Amino acid sequence: MVQSNILELAKQGDAKSIASAINYLLQDKDIIAQADIKDNCLRVLLESTQVPPQQSSVKFIHQLMLKLAIESIKIVKIYGRQKGQSSAAWRDSIILNNPIQELASESSITRVNQEVNQQNKEEANQEEKQTKSNFWPVWFPYPTSWLKAVVVFGFLSIIGFSIRTSGQVGYFLARVADSPEPFIFFIILGLLSPIVIFAIAHHILHLFLGRFMPSIQAPEIAKHQGLLPGLISWWEGFYGWLVIYLATLAVSATTLGIAVVFIPLSNFLYQNLLYNYNPEDEQKVLIALSVIWIIYAAVIYQVENLFKRRMISTYSNINKPALITPSAVDSPIEVELDRMRGEMGLTSMKGKRKSS
């Protein structure tokens, strides 16, 4: 049964209720609507097995909004998309002159038009970025993964200093106390120190971005404030710590594997190292190991990116507005919606469809 307050909530500007009303009215068109509201703009996405017709869809949404007469909504943006596609096949906008609160002057209309154009540009840029990301192979790390890997690699010297200092303090206290417990405690503390270092660095970075370059600030951390790192900063710290140890283990395993295969085949003798040692060769080996480490770190960060995308996709599917199912006995709300359908010229009334 249709919720008893569905129209009342829709008239108050509830996005899910508006989407539910659209779904009920278009149930025989095989079109499913999703809606959200940002500021004074209602955004409606219409999906079907075939791309919904633009002209009739825009006309229908316009008629519905005039009947709902929602004072807080001044702009309606409508998108048509085929099911299974990631981008809209068409888009349109409606500027509403609410009869209760008319737009005061021509300058107001111009301002609203500018807002619509700006939002269109922003969403077009987002779709363009999404389209470009679709051409990027999933198995190959994104640029953000490479950037994070390089940044973490740059912090390794600071982390090494932290672990070494912690070990020295622990060793000194262990000698004073004549007990190994302080040494073990400070070693563990040093091994966990990268979490704190990365969390603080991430927090300070985004405080700076939020103050001086808010346009490039990530939406989920746009309101970073205070001296203590937030949840996202602590997550970046924990994942950075995980990347360090996993990438180091992977490099060690790779080096060991190469040594196991290479040494027997080359008849290599360890005593020859003293006679054939060359600092330039050592530098080349360190550079090669550093490059391999960064590659492993980028791959691990790519796993995090894919996991986040999967979670966002799953969450968005769970929160799609449900399609209203008409009951066997019409409620007053269903009667009103059916009357609205007839007035808008969509189809015959529901009772007539049952008798046919």
Side-chain angles (χ1 to χ4, degrees):
M1 180 178 294
V2 180
Q3 299 177 10
S4 59
N5 61 344
I6 192 71
L7 278 181
E8 186 63 30
L9 290 174
K11 292 177 181 179
Q12 293 174 7
D14 181 72
K16 289 188 176 181
S17 299
I18 295 172
S20 297
I22 296 173
N23 287 331
Y24 184 83
L25 293 170
L26 295 180
Q27 58 187 306
D28 56 345
K29 304 290 187 182
D30 190 30
I31 296 177
I32 296 180
Q34 301 176 50
D36 67 356
I37 295 177
K38 183 178 180 181
D39 298 328
N40 62 350
C41 176
L42 170 68
R43 299 184 294 186
V44 180
L45 172 63
L46 303 176
E47 285 187 310
S48 184
T49 52
Q50 301 294 329
V51 177
Q54 180 175 356
Q55 185 175 357
S56 59
S57 298
V58 174
K59 180 181 178 181
F60 159 71
I61 297 294
H62 193 185
Q63 291 176 336
L64 177 61
M65 296 308 299
L66 291 177
K67 289 183 176 297
L68 294 177
I70 305 171
E71 296 183 37
S72 59
I73 296 178
K74 306 299 182 189
I75 305 168
V76 182
K77 305 187 73 174
I78 310 160
Y79 308 87
R81 186 173 72 184
Q82 186 176 4
K83 287 183 180 178
Q85 298 297 317
S86 59
S87 58
W90 56 264
R91 63 175 65 197
D92 213 326
S93 301
I94 301 171
I95 299 177
L96 298 175
N97 289 325
N98 197 308
I100 299 176
Q101 185 179 358
E102 293 287 341
L103 293 176
S105 63
E106 185 177 352
S107 61
S108 300
I109 297 176
T110 303
R111 178 179 55 81
V112 174
N113 280 328
Q114 291 174 348
E115 292 178 1
V116 172
N117 293 333
Q118 181 63 27
Q119 291 180 1
N120 281 334
K121 290 179 181 178
E122 292 176 358
E123 293 184 2
N125 290 335
Q126 292 177 358
E127 287 188 5
E128 184 179 356
K129 291 180 181 178
Q130 180 66 28
T131 302
K132 289 181 179 179
S133 66
N134 291 337
F135 292 103
W136 195 279
V138 174
W139 53 266
F140 193 80
Y142 296 156
T144 54
S145 300
W146 290 106
L147 178 60
K148 287 183 178 180
V150 172
V151 170
V152 170
F153 181 79
F155 271 86
L156 288 182
S157 58
I158 300 175
I159 292 168
F161 174 79
S162 173
I163 295 175
R164 184 171 62 254
T165 302
S166 180
Q168 291 173 348
V169 172
Y171 178 73
F172 173 77
L173 293 178
R175 291 193 61 182
V176 171
D178 194 21
S179 174
E181 284 82 1
F183 179 71
I184 296 173
F185 173 77
F186 276 90
I187 284 295
I188 295 174
L189 195 65
L191 292 176
L192 294 177
S193 63
I195 298 178
V196 179
I197 293 173
F198 285 135
I200 294 175
H202 182 270
H203 182 68
I204 293 174
L205 171 65
H206 287 281
L207 281 178
F208 175 83
L209 293 178
R211 182 176 180 83
F212 298 104
M213 291 181 286
S215 60
I216 66 173
Q217 181 76 291
E220 65 271 16
I221 51 180
K223 295 183 179 180
H224 250 32
Q225 294 179 354
L227 298 177
L228 296 177
L231 180 61
I232 295 178
S233 294
W234 284 113
W235 166 254
E236 290 293 338
F238 171 76
Y239 203 80
W241 170 82
L242 188 65
V243 167
I244 287 175
Y245 292 111
L246 288 180
T248 302
L249 286 174
V251 170
S252 301
T254 301
T255 305
L256 182 61
I258 293 174
V260 168
V261 175
F262 174 77
I263 290 176
L265 294 178
S266 61
N267 296 320
F268 178 80
L269 297 176
Y270 289 101
Q271 54 265 33
N272 292 337
L273 282 174
L274 296 175
Y275 303 101
N276 299 326
Y277 174 75
N278 187 340
E280 293 183 359
D281 292 338
E282 180 183 2
Q283 189 71 18
K284 292 177 181 178
V285 171
L286 290 176
I287 292 175
L289 291 177
S290 300
V291 171
I292 296 173
W293 193 96
I294 291 174
I295 292 174
Y296 278 124
V299 170
I300 298 171
Y301 270 117
Q302 178 68 1
V303 172
E304 181 196 26
N305 279 333
L306 296 178
F307 177 76
K308 287 180 178 178
R309 288 180 58 184
R310 180 64 179 270
M311 290 296 294
I312 292 172
S313 175
T314 303
Y315 180 79
S316 62
N317 288 333
I318 291 174
N319 287 275
K320 283 183 179 180
L323 180 64
I324 298 178
T325 304
S327 62
V329 179
D330 292 348
S331 69
I333 300 300
E334 289 171 344
V335 171
E336 185 173 353
L337 283 169
D338 281 331
R339 177 181 57 79
M340 188 180 296
R341 177 192 287 115
E343 292 176 355
M344 297 169 68
L346 293 174
T347 60
S348 57
M349 300 297 287
K350 187 176 67 175
K352 294 180 181 180
R353 292 202 312 273
K354 288 180 180 178
S355 62
S356 58

